[in-house]
Amino acid sequence: MRAQLAAITGGLAPDDYAQAWWDWYLNIAQAPQKQTDIAHTAFKAMMDNFSFAMQASTGKALAPVASDDARFASEAWKQWPFNMMARGYLNWAKVLQQATTNVPGLAPRSADLIGFSTRQMLDATSPANHLMSNPELLELTREQSGQNLVSGFQNWLEDVSRTLKHDQPVGTENFKVGVNVAVTPGKVIFRNELIELIQYAPTTATVHPEPVLIVPAWIMKYYILDLSPQNSFVRYLVEKGHTVFVISWKNPNETDRNLGMEDYHDKGIRAAIDAVGAIVPNTKIHSVGYCIGGTLLSIAAAAMARDGDDRLASMTLLAAQMDFSEPGELSFFISPSQLAMLEAVMHKAGVLSSDKMGAAFGLLRSNDLLWTPAINTYVKGKREKLNDLMAWNSDGTRMPWRMHSEYLQQLYLQNDLANGRFKVNGRPIDLKSISLPMVVFGTETDHVAPWKSTFKARGLTRSSDYTYVLTNGGHNAGIVCGPVHPRRRFRELTWKDATASCDAAEWLDKATLHQGSWWPWWQEWLAAHSGAQNAPPPTLGNPAKGYSVLGDAPGEYVLQR
């Protein structure tokens, strides 16, 4: 029943929202002052609507809003009846926000869900998001004699057809893996039932002795870090004299339903560390983890410290969380009820498909990620030209049932990792045992791993060479920005003490601001924490140790649909 219900609700748990609105109603009913405030705001809105309508009906050009609201900024919105529609909508939004915020006694979880559903409601009812109430769209339709609607309908039919056929979106055919993205030369030197390990060919006569192992998230194809050559993090490091290895995760199917977190640790990151250590022996490994790949790297580093394994030279986390007590807007999708619904969906299918994850992330920024693209594509009749990062974003992966359930239950709901309860191979690990040199990155507008959540890694670890870096941009664009980017900036602050720290607000005041991409800065940090660049490049693979070359990069797993 839950699985069938999820098909109707898009995977959202309706009882969460029903309980939140019931909580809102009960608390509003017991707050006469709040009721008075709402009534006062509603009365002011009604009178303002009436007054504005009277002025607008004379034909006088009136802007519907004094503030800088880009949705209603054009001259077309100053004309009746569109200015009246916009004004009425904005006043209604004020009443709705007054009614749903700062409600005495409302539980924080209920307040979050009420705020989220209110935002969805406001986005859905905005006159800017509908043809007949948007003067700009009507004028475009008049100018083109409706051709934009014809083109939009054709776009819609094409998208429906591709969805039914499980094809990728229009434009992704211009970015083919191994042809014009994921083209940095390398070899697959290890493969098991969960990962392929890629070793990249050197481009310099000598290299730094310490290799770099990159651990991407398993909810993404690894080549987000090896996009077009000018935008490839892997290529940039190789060209700077680093020996680079990257894990390419298998795209699981229903037969992999029982793969768990232990498998991702043992057969994933630990197997990769063993391989790198065999191919580049007698030296430590620089480790880099992205998103939940960074969370897994933190788990592995703590387990290695517990076991006296000192093979890691440093740890860099890219938009990765250790403490999940404040996961930001993702908390809308994380609750016992929501998890039970996901469990039902995944137990039936064995995996969680990437389109369901993508739809959930889209709701976090529905106006930007859902409404605006829909209007551009289906009303204006214009398709947005994809770049390499956008094409990669459409090449999603699935997640196995057991792993995803354990991940959400133990990390998000119980926060076991931050509280020292998470177990690896049957024994608990402690993040405070991590004393490696560390660089932790957050991004300013991250909806997946909010920067203030990633900032908490400082208080959980005990590195005496620790730097926190905050870049502008979101979860992906803030990380994948190329070595030269005129619109990027970042802040950084280093602690040379194992326990000294500050809160996020204080850090913002103290951190040094840099203009441009963070890539060159971090590469200089990496080089400074490495031996001199005078070592001969290691061979690709090591057949004597059981790591023979199995094929060319990008390998087989990344091509799985």
Side-chain angles (χ1 to χ4, degrees):
M1 183 184 72
R2 284 187 178 274
Q4 294 299 323
L5 185 60
I8 298 171
T9 65
L12 297 178
D15 47 328
D16 269 0
Y17 294 87
Q19 290 172 15
W21 281 103
W22 181 243
D23 188 18
W24 170 85
Y25 170 76
L26 291 177
N27 283 284
I28 283 286
Q30 300 177 74
Q33 183 57 52
K34 183 66 174 178
Q35 295 175 36
T36 302
D37 293 343
I38 296 170
H40 180 65
T41 302
F43 180 75
K44 284 180 62 178
M46 182 178 66
M47 295 305 296
D48 183 78
N49 285 344
F50 179 76
S51 174
F52 188 86
M54 293 297 292
Q55 296 179 64
S57 64
T58 65
K60 181 182 178 181
L62 289 175
V65 60
S67 62
D68 184 20
D69 190 327
R71 295 174 297 175
F72 310 114
S74 77
E75 291 295 315
W77 284 101
K78 294 182 179 181
Q79 304 304 316
W80 185 91
F82 306 106
N83 53 3
M84 193 174 66
M85 293 179 188
R87 185 70 162 221
Y89 164 76
L90 292 169
N91 278 328
W92 175 70
K94 290 178 184 177
V95 175
L96 195 58
Q97 288 167 348
Q98 167 71 283
T100 55
T101 57
N102 300 318
V103 178
L106 188 63
R109 169 71 179 172
S110 296
D112 288 342
L113 292 179
I114 294 293
F116 175 69
S117 50
T118 298
R119 192 166 74 240
Q120 304 307 313
M121 197 185 315
L122 290 174
D123 286 343
T125 55
S126 170
N129 290 337
H130 301 279
L131 172 63
M132 297 309 295
S133 58
N134 186 325
E136 297 175 89
L137 297 179
L138 289 172
E139 178 60 21
L140 176 67
T141 303
R142 186 193 65 78
E143 289 176 354
Q144 298 191 8
S145 301
Q147 186 57 46
N148 58 307
L149 300 181
V150 175
S151 299
F153 185 60
Q154 291 173 340
N155 290 341
W156 181 78
L157 288 176
E158 184 175 21
D159 288 348
V160 169
S161 175
R162 283 176 175 253
T163 300
L164 294 176
K165 294 176 182 177
H166 302 288
D167 289 339
Q168 289 187 294
V170 175
T172 54
E173 61 273 8
N174 298 323
F175 298 93
K176 295 183 178 179
V177 176
V179 177
N180 51 4
V181 292
V183 293
T184 303
K187 301 291 183 181
V188 177
I189 51 85
F190 173 71
R191 179 187 296 124
N192 62 19
E193 61 268 39
L194 190 56
I195 69 166
E196 288 180 331
L197 185 64
I198 301 171
Q199 180 184 0
Y200 288 91
T203 61
T204 55
T206 57
V207 297
H208 294 282
E210 297 86 355
V212 179
L213 172 63
I214 299 177
V215 187
W218 54 86
I219 62 170
M220 58 174 69
K221 297 289 182 71
Y222 85 88
Y223 70 92
I224 187 175
L225 297 172
D226 187 24
L227 293 170
S228 305
Q230 72 278 6
N231 207 23
S232 169
F233 186 59
V234 170
R235 181 180 290 265
Y236 177 72
L237 292 179
V238 170
E239 290 175 349
K240 293 296 183 179
H242 298 282
T243 300
V244 179
F245 294 80
V246 174
I247 292 175
S248 175
W249 299 97
K250 179 184 179 181
N251 192 5
N253 55 42
E254 58 276 6
T255 63
D256 301 307
R257 62 188 305 126
N258 288 316
L259 287 173
M261 285 292 292
E262 197 97 320
D263 296 299
Y264 276 78
H265 175 267
D266 294 346
K267 299 175 183 178
I269 187 170
R270 289 302 294 267
I273 290 172
D274 291 343
V276 174
I279 295 167
V280 190
N282 304 318
T283 186
K284 295 187 177 183
I285 303 165
H286 291 301
S287 57
V288 181
Y290 189 5
C291 187
I292 58 175
T295 304
L296 182 64
L297 174 57
S298 302
I299 291 170
M304 292 172 73
R306 178 198 65 190
D307 299 339
D309 187 338
D310 64 350
R311 286 180 290 173
L312 296 184
S314 72
M315 182 168 71
T316 297
L317 304 180
L318 307 176
Q321 297 176 95
M322 294 181 183
D323 187 322
F324 292 81
S325 59
E326 297 180 76
E329 294 181 344
L330 273 184
S331 62
F332 301 145
F333 310 123
I334 301 167
S335 69
S337 180
Q338 187 68 62
L339 184 56
M341 181 162 280
L342 276 175
E343 286 265 7
V345 172
M346 297 178 71
H347 191 269
K348 183 177 180 181
V351 291
L352 182 66
S353 63
S354 60
D355 60 334
K356 288 185 173 61
M357 288 185 285
F361 289 136
L363 287 174
L364 297 178
R365 297 169 56 200
S366 59
N367 203 58
D368 294 333
L369 299 181
L370 297 178
W371 286 102
T372 298
I375 290 168
N376 290 339
T377 306
Y378 306 132
V379 181
K380 294 183 179 180
K382 297 179 180 179
R383 282 201 182 277
E384 186 177 14
K385 186 177 180 181
L386 298 187
N387 57 31
D388 52 1
L389 183 57
M390 294 163 67
W392 163 87
N393 195 49
S394 301
D395 189 12
T397 59
R398 297 174 289 272
M399 286 195 285
W401 161 67
R402 181 181 169 195
M403 182 284 303
H404 194 49
S405 297
E406 292 175 348
Y407 183 79
L408 292 180
Q409 186 74 41
Q410 295 181 46
L411 297 182
Y412 275 97
L413 284 183
Q414 299 171 185
N415 203 20
D416 285 348
L417 181 59
N419 290 315
R421 295 190 298 264
F422 193 89
K423 294 182 178 180
V424 175
N425 303 130
R427 293 186 293 148
I429 57 172
D430 185 357
L431 293 173
K432 290 183 175 62
S433 64
I434 300 176
S435 58
L436 302 166
M438 291 178 63
V439 181
V440 177
F441 285 82
T443 62
E444 290 179 0
T445 57
D446 199 327
H447 293 269
V448 179
W451 79 267
K452 290 183 179 179
S453 181
T454 65
F455 184 80
K456 292 183 177 183
R458 174 57 184 166
L460 295 172
T461 55
R462 291 296 179 266
S463 171
S464 57
D465 182 356
Y466 185 100
T467 303
Y468 186 78
V469 184
L470 180 64
T471 79
N472 69 324
H475 188 71
N476 294 329
I479 299 298
V480 185
C481 56
V484 178
H485 200 303
R487 295 190 299 276
R488 286 286 171 254
R489 65 178 184 273
F490 64 96
R491 293 177 171 85
E492 51 85 13
L493 180 65
T494 298
W495 287 278
K496 292 294 185 179
D497 182 276
T499 57
S501 186
C502 61
D503 61 27
E506 186 181 353
W507 179 91
L508 272 177
D509 290 335
K510 293 181 177 179
T512 302
L513 176 64
H514 303 265
Q515 298 297 328
S517 169
W518 61 268
W519 288 17
W521 175 90
W522 181 76
Q523 192 278 322
E524 290 177 6
W525 181 93
L526 188 66
H529 287 74
S530 303
Q533 188 181 334
N534 55 18
T539 60
L540 295 179
N542 186 342
K545 295 289 184 67
Y547 298 102
S548 300
V549 171
L550 303 178
D552 293 329
E556 298 176 5
Y557 283 177
V558 74
L559 301 176
Q560 294 173 335
R561 299 291 182 206

